[in-house]
Amino acid sequence: DKFTAKLDFNMDVRNKFVLRHSYVKGDNLEARNSGENNIGFINGSEAFITTTNSTALEWSYSGDKVANNLIIGYTTVRDDRDPSGSPFPTVDIQDGNGIISFGSEPFSTANLLNQDVFTLNNNFEIYSGRNTITLGFNIEHAKTKNLFFPFNYGDYTFEDQFDDDGILLSSGLNQFLTGQDADVYQHGYSLLGNGAVGDESAGSSEFSTVQLGFYAQNEYQVSDNFKAIFGLRVDVPYWEDGITNSEFVNNTIPLLRAAGKDLQGARPGQAIDALPHFAPRLGFNWDVYDNNTTQIRGGIGVFTSRLPLVWPGGTYNNNGVTGGFNFIFGQEFEADINNQFEDPAPGSGSVGGNVDLIAKGFKLPQVMKYNIAVDQKLPIWGLIASADFLYTDILSDIYYENLNLKGPTGRLNGVDNRPTYDRRDEIDPTYNRIILASNTTEGYSYNASFTLRKPFANGFQGQISYSYGDSFKIFDGTSSQNSSQWRNIQTVNGKNSFLEDSRSDFSLGSRISSNASYEISWTENIKTTFGIFYEGAQGTPFSYVYREGRDLLNDDSRDNALIYVPARQGDITFADQSGDGGLTPQQQWDAFNAFVAGDDYLNSRRGDYAERNGDRGPWSHIIDLKVLQDFSLKLGNNVHTFQASLDIFNFTNLISKDWGERNFVPRNVGLLQTVTAGPDPVFTFDPDQWVDGVSQIDDFGLASSRWQMQLGLRYLFN
């Protein structure tokens, strides 16, 4: 539901005022779904209600030599995320290759966010000869209330059990049905102990942030055909201190330091230093022959990013004082959300749970961008060719480490001799994960594109473009939780192993796009336009990992260990599944070896580890069709037009059900199952699971593999 109101008041020819207000309320149900390998019951869906009110007052002054624009804004956001079904613990049951899930969505059980944001922005321009000077500032103050306790109703996982030879002893389904203990129990809750659960829980974080921005820029017209722009922006972020944790400072920090951990000045509840972030920039635009035939443009500059408030918000939620968290192996199932196991007990004054820290000298993400581009009019058919290249170098980015994890405790035997850990033996068992956010300078990206465009003439216009981009980072920032950023990373040697940059989840790869339209004027009042659009896109990158269930690295319950690609049969040990109706070790090796040989990427990695996001999904090719029919009528000096439109998205799928498939591959492909961990791990490979390869067909929303049709009617008048 949207409502917008706006009032314009022209006080005189130089002063104008605008008062505007907008109201937006959204109600979204994200339904839990099912697939080939999972059954998801509807009571695990997520209901999200958001309400935003935004008011702004703008004053614009225009003089002969100066101009000014001032905007004062105030915005309130109220977000409430809840389970859609009746309150019930989250239950995940493993049953062979499948997972059965029911109960409340685990991250929506105690989750709300209130924000009140005040902004003040002013731009003052000075016109002096060939110079246009801009002096400005942007001040933003935000008050935030964030309540978040994951798994607040309790979360239980029942896993399949195997013997040392990989033979199934008991399925997770059988364990649940026979009342056995859960393999894993998780529960986040308030330590402040008001007895409530869900959104009524005590212990929400309430804090304020301020970001000050100051900038100066000069747009200098060097000559009639050359313009230069140079400037400097300075941003200063500030967050207020939160709740301190004296027990952590006095007892845990000495233990972490003794284990060789560098906290980089971080303390629970301690804000970062208010450091200035300098961002100089230089750009130019050169019309080489001063006739709009050849244009060269480009620039170099530093750009400072904002941080999602939920990341620093984690340091106010997870301080070891307000929120407890249990991660327990072997726990009796309890269906009552008000009677979940909690240790330490709420209200006892004890500390525990996860702890989020930010290095005291932490800097906001900053990048240096280099850009050069050329636009050239060609002598035939009025074509315009453009080439563009952009290179981005990371100056500072976010980096995560679990300080509570000890170093390696051993190594695997054989050609794959990576280190292993013991995640249950924490440096300080008082707490679970202690996640430190600091900075790294690792990472870069580049993007090149070429476009050939035919401007509209004689009823025809068209364009074709090719672009290729690649990007390399360490942490992509895909989760709202700091601990999940660390837990989700795919590695060879462990998540704390001084990670280097690798291909980003958002690496673009290759993309070809083209469009063309042709307009036919039957009479002065009747016109038909045909349009076609084509996109060919390379698939997103993905990683080959060992399937969850048994730990290989054992640095976290989400192992995310990249696979070792064996060069020969003796490099890997397969379990004998023949006694359980499966394949012998030899049959599994033959099938796996054939799979690797048939995949160019995996075959190139024999005798080495798969890389994070080292492979890409297949190409997808999509064609859309559009038809416009105009009927016009001229009355006096005015033209009235009725326009009917027909859009067919994924047009080729309308012609054949086998065409127009959008392919995608999950971020993690669990090619091998670890059935026995330890120094001499044992694996299984199920060739039936990969008969159709690793890619799947995308069939969700407008950008799906199904054709869709849209009819429209528009009335245009002047």
Side-chain angles (χ1 to χ4, degrees), residues 449-514:
S449 63
F450 177 79
T451 301
L452 191 63
R453 179 167 56 91
K454 172 68 171 68
F456 183 83
N458 300 319
F460 177 81
Q461 70 85 29
Q463 174 180 299
I464 183 169
S465 299
Y466 171 77
S467 65
Y468 178 80
D470 212 347
S471 57
F472 295 83
K473 291 190 66 174
I474 299 180
F475 292 96
D476 278 310
T478 54
S479 175
S480 60
Q481 299 182 69
N482 295 308
S483 62
S484 292
Q485 313 279 21
W486 178 81
R487 300 181 70 199
N488 290 340
I489 193 75
Q490 307 94 341
T491 70
V492 171
N493 296 314
K495 305 173 187 64
N496 273 5
S497 58
F498 304 103
L499 302 176
E500 297 180 349
D501 61 77
S502 55
R503 179 167 284 115
S504 167
D505 291 346
F506 304 103
S507 173
L508 295 175
S510 292
R511 179 178 181 267
I512 302 172
S513 65
S514 64

Side-chain angles (χ1 to χ4, degrees), residues 515-517 529-533 622-629 643-652 654 702 706-714:
N515 64 79
S517 68
T529 304
F530 299 93
I532 192 169
F533 172 80
I622 303 297
I623 294 177
D624 298 333
L625 179 68
K626 187 180 189 73
V627 181
L628 295 174
Q629 181 62 58
Q643 183 182 83
S645 63
L646 169 66
D647 290 280
I648 303 178
F649 306 106
N650 201 349
F651 173 65
T652 55
L654 172 63
L702 283 176
R706 299 174 186 261
W707 69 269
Q708 298 173 69
M709 184 181 294
Q710 175 178 284
L711 297 174
L713 184 64
R714 177 179 294 177

Side-chain angles (χ1 to χ4, degrees), residues 396-711:
S396 66
D397 201 358
I398 196 162
Y399 186 90
Y400 292 101
E401 179 184 2
N402 180 7
L403 299 178
N404 212 15
L405 177 67
K406 293 181 179 180
T409 57
R411 285 187 173 274
L412 299 182
N413 296 326
V415 291
D416 179 7
N417 63 343
R418 72 181 84 197
T420 58
Y421 303 80
D422 184 357
R423 71 174 190 265
R424 304 186 191 188
D425 184 21
E426 293 146 332
I427 294 174
D428 185 356
T430 306
Y431 304 97
N432 296 97
R433 288 180 293 274
I434 301 174
I435 301 296
L436 172 67
S438 59
N439 286 126
T440 178
T441 60
E442 294 287 324
Y444 64 94
S445 68
Y446 59 88
N447 189 81
S449 63
F450 177 79
T451 301
L452 191 63
R453 179 167 56 91
K454 172 68 171 68
F456 183 83
N458 300 319
F460 177 81
Q461 70 85 29
Q463 174 180 299
I464 183 169
S465 299
Y466 171 77
S467 65
Y468 178 80
D470 212 347
S471 57
F472 295 83
K473 291 190 66 174
I474 299 180
F475 292 96
D476 278 310
T478 54
S479 175
S480 60
Q481 299 182 69
N482 295 308
S483 62
S484 292
Q485 313 279 21
W486 178 81
R487 300 181 70 199
N488 290 340
I489 193 75
Q490 307 94 341
T491 70
V492 171
N493 296 314
K495 305 173 187 64
N496 273 5
S497 58
F498 304 103
L499 302 176
E500 297 180 349
D501 61 77
S502 55
R503 179 167 284 115
S504 167
D505 291 346
F506 304 103
S507 173
L508 295 175
S510 292
R511 179 178 181 267
I512 302 172
S513 65
S514 64
N515 64 79
S517 68
Y518 185 66
E519 178 183 295
I520 303 175
S521 296
W522 306 100
T523 68
E524 187 180 74
N525 299 321
I526 301 176
K527 179 177 67 175
T528 305
T529 304
F530 299 93
I532 192 169
F533 172 80
Y534 162 77
E535 180 189 48
Q538 195 175 16
T540 55
F542 65 91
S543 305
Y544 288 104
V545 299
Y546 297 102
R547 284 185 57 193
E548 301 287 354
R550 297 279 182 144
D551 299 314
L552 188 80
L553 289 168
N554 198 29
D555 61 345
D556 184 70
S557 59
R558 298 180 188 173
D559 217 47
N560 286 337
L562 294 163
I563 69 170
Y564 177 83
V565 186
R568 58 192 63 84
Q569 186 171 356
D571 292 348
I572 188 171
T573 301
F574 285 107
D576 188 354
Q577 299 281 291
S578 59
D580 198 32
L583 303 179
T584 66
Q586 184 64 49
Q587 290 173 321
Q588 292 177 72
W589 163 253
D590 292 340
F592 180 71
N593 188 49
F595 184 91
V596 171
D599 185 280
D600 291 340
Y601 174 74
L602 287 176
N603 204 41
S604 71
R605 301 298 296 178
R606 285 188 183 270
D608 205 343
Y609 297 98
E611 303 158 295
R612 176 178 178 262
N613 288 330
D615 205 356
R616 285 187 177 276
W619 281 71
S620 296
H621 303 276
I622 303 297
I623 294 177
D624 298 333
L625 179 68
K626 187 180 189 73
V627 181
L628 295 174
Q629 181 62 58
D630 289 7
F631 301 92
S632 300
L633 179 64
K634 187 172 184 179
L635 299 176
N637 294 325
N638 297 321
V639 177
H640 300 260
T641 301
F642 289 94
Q643 183 182 83
S645 63
L646 169 66
D647 290 280
I648 303 178
F649 306 106
N650 201 349
F651 173 65
T652 55
N653 185 249
L654 172 63
I655 301 173
S656 171
K657 66 181 180 63
D658 297 321
W659 295 351
E661 290 183 355
R662 292 184 185 268
N663 300 296
F664 81 99
V665 180
R667 294 296 186 194
N668 288 342
V669 174
L671 202 58
L672 294 167
Q673 171 75 51
T674 311
V675 295
T676 302
D680 299 294
V682 179
F683 307 97
T684 61
F685 177 70
D686 181 6
D688 292 340
Q689 188 176 354
W690 311 106
V691 170
D692 298 323
V694 299
S695 66
Q696 301 177 29
I697 296 176
D698 191 352
D699 195 24
F700 182 79
L702 283 176
S704 78
S705 296
R706 299 174 186 261
W707 69 269
Q708 298 173 69
M709 184 181 294
Q710 175 178 284
L711 297 174

